[in-house]
Amino acid sequence: MPGFPMLEVRGLHARYGAIEALRGVDIDVAQGEIVTLIGANGAGKSTLLMTICGQPRASAGSIRYEGRDIAGLATFEIMRLGIAQSPEGRRVFPRMTVEENLKLGATVADVKHYDADLARVYKLFPRLEERRAQRGGTLSGGEQQMLAIGRALMGRPRLLLLDEPSLGLAPMLVKQIFATIREINAAEGVTIFLVEQNAYHALRLAHRGYVMVNGRITLAGPASDLLANPEVRAAYLEGGH
Amino acid sequence: MEYFLQQAINGLTLGAIYGLIAIGYTMVYGIIGMINFAHGEVFMIGSFLTVIFITVLGSLGIHPTFTIIALVLLLVIPFTGVWGWSIERAAYRPLRGSFRLAPLISAIGMSIFLQNLVQFLQGARNKPIPVVVPGGFTLVESDGFPVQVRWLQIVIVVMTVALMIGLTTLIHRTRFGRAQRACEQDMKMAMLLGIDVNRTISATFVLGAGLAGIAGVMVAYYYNVVNFYDGFLAGLKAFTAAVLGGIGSVPGAMLGGLLLGLIEAMWSAYFSIEYKDFAAFSILVLVLIFRPTGILGRPEIEKV
Ligand SMILES: Nc1ncnc2c1ncn2[C@@H]1O[C@H](COP(=O)(O)OP(=O)(O)O)[C@@H](O)[C@H]1O
Ligand SMILES: [Mg+2]
C-alpha cells in the first residue's frame, strides 16, 4: 500500500517563546496514505501542522517533503511545493465571498486549471455552490469547514494537512466530511495528514496513526491496531461509541 | 449663493487632494495595522520633484501644458513609489513584531531626515513654480460675483475620479487586489495559501506613495509654491481625512478627504481663514473621541 515517502519529520522541536510545544517529533507519511495524529487538547498537534508550513519555524530537527528539506523555507514558498492546509479554526476570509475564498485557494495553482478545479470542489461540496456569492463570515460552522477544505484543494496539493475538520460539527456533518476526505484520497490520490480529537472516526478512516502527548509521539502503528489498543481506548475513546 | 458655490468648488479640489493622500494611510493601516508616519513627506517630495522636473524640462525646451503634466507625472510616480518602498523596508519591516511604537518612531525619524535633506538641498524658503495649467472659465455670474472654475481644478477632480475607479478595480477585480484583501483579513492564512505577504505589503506602500506623489504634483501646480514643511501639515490633514472616513476603508479615505476639503473651504469662507487648521484638527479630536471607527470604518473586533 504505502508508496514513496512524502513527508519525513525527524526530531522536530518548535517553541513559542519559552514554551516548547514540540519536543522531538518523528512522523512519516507515504504517498497515497491517510495518516492521522490524535491527542488531547494542547498536545501540540496544530503546532506540528503549522511548523511543517514554517509558522513557527522549527527550532531543531528536520522536515523533508518529497525528499527536500523544507525547514528553512518561508511559508509561502513551502505552500508552493504542493502542500495545503485547512487550519485550526478554519480561517475563512470573513469579508470575502465563498468564490473569492476559493480563488485565493488557487493562488499557487496554474490558472488554466481554475474552472475545472472549481467545478470539482462544487461537486464535492454542492452546498458551497449554493452559497458562492455569500460572505465567508456569514456561513455556518459546517459550511466554513467545507470552504476551508475546498479552498485547500483549489491549490491542487499532493499533501493535504487537515486540522480537526470535525470540530464543532453535528454528527451527520462529521460523517459527510469524513466520507469526502476518503473520496479525495481514494479518487484523486491526494495524500492526507489528518489531526483529530475525534479519535474514533479518525482511526476508522486512516491507514496509520500516531498519538501525541505533550509534544512527543507516544504511540504509532496501523490505525486498526491503535483502535484496538487498550491504552488508546482508555485515553481517547472512553465513553464514545 | 455664488460665494458658497465658489467655496464648494475650491473645497472639492482640496478634498480630492486630501483623499489621494489619505488612501496611502488607510491602505497601510488596513494591511499592517499601523500608521505610516512618513507618508506626508512622500507627498512633499512629489511637490519638490515637480519643481525640479519642470525646471529641467523647461531648460530642454519642453513647454506645452499636457506634455509637461504627463511627463512630470511619469517621472514623479516612480520616485515616490521607490521612497514608499524604502520606508517599508527601512522603518517597518525590520521592526515588525517588535513593540508597536518602534516602527512609528523610526518612520518619524525617516520623515524628519527627509524634511531636513530637502531643506538642505533646496533651501528653507518657498520655491515658486511657473503656471502649468493656466486659465479657466466663469461658471455663473450674478450680482457681479463670478463663480470661477480653473482648468486645473477640472484636471485634479477628473484625475482623482479616474484614479479612484482604477484603484477600486485593482482591489476588487485583480489577483493582487485579492491577495491584498486576504492579507488585511488574515495575514497568516494568506501565507498558508502561498501568498508572498512581504511583497504584498511592499506593493501597498508603493501604491499609496504613488498616489501621494500624484497629489504632490497637483498641489505644486495648484498653489504654485512649495516648501519643505508642507508635507507635515498636508500629511496630518490627510490622516484626519482617513480617520474621519474610517481608517482602513479606501472609499472612506476618499469621502473623508472630500468632507475635510469642503469643511475647510467653508470654514475659511464664513468664519476665519487663520483658524482653518483649527477646524481640521478639532474634527480629528472629535472623531477620535466619539466615533473612532469613522464614517465607513468597521469596528475593530472584526479584525482576526
Ligand atoms: N500562538 C501560540 N503562542 C503561545 N503558545 C501557543 C500558541 N499556540 C499554541 N501554544 C501552546 O502550545 C501548546 C500546543 O498547542 P497546540 O499545538 O495548539 O495543541 P493542540 O493542537 O494539540 O491542541 C499548548 O501548550 C499551547 O498553549
Ligand atoms: Mg489544535
Side-chain angles (χ1 to χ4, degrees), chain A residues 71-94:
Chain A
L73 297 182
T75 300
F76 78 93
E77 292 170 320
I78 295 171
M79 309 322 282
R80 288 175 184 189
L81 299 175
I83 303 180
Q85 182 176 171
S86 166
E88 176 163 53
R90 296 146 195 166
R91 305 192 92 137
V92 161
F93 295 109

Side-chain angles (χ1 to χ4, degrees), chain A residues 111-182:
Chain A
V111 286
K112 73 175 185 227
H113 300 300
Y114 177 73
D115 291 328
D117 289 348
L118 190 66
R120 165 174 154 248
V121 167
Y122 283 155
K123 192 157 161 283
L124 283 174
F125 302 109
R127 194 56 170 271
L128 293 181
E129 188 163 19
E130 292 165 25
R131 305 277 151 122
R132 63 202 295 172
Q134 197 172 318
R135 285 178 172 226
T138 64
L139 298 176
S140 73
E143 290 161 349
Q144 288 194 354
Q145 189 58 63
M146 294 174 195
L147 181 52
I149 297 174
R151 181 178 59 185
L153 286 174
M154 288 302 288
R156 324 192 109 231
R158 293 188 292 283
L159 174 63
L160 178 59
L161 310 175
L162 297 172
D163 198 340
E164 302 208 38
S166 75
L167 191 71
L169 301 191
M172 268 301 294
L173 211 49
V174 173
K175 272 211 166 111
Q176 194 198 324
I177 295 270
F178 275 65
T180 308
I181 295 170
R182 191 191 300 275

Side-chain angles (χ1 to χ4, degrees), chain A residues 199-223:
Chain A
Y200 176 76
H201 279 291
L203 289 171
R204 290 272 309 252
L205 174 73
H207 304 119
R208 291 188 303 111
Y210 292 90
V211 176
M212 182 179 264
V213 178
N214 276 333
R216 287 195 183 88
I217 300 298
T218 53
L219 277 172

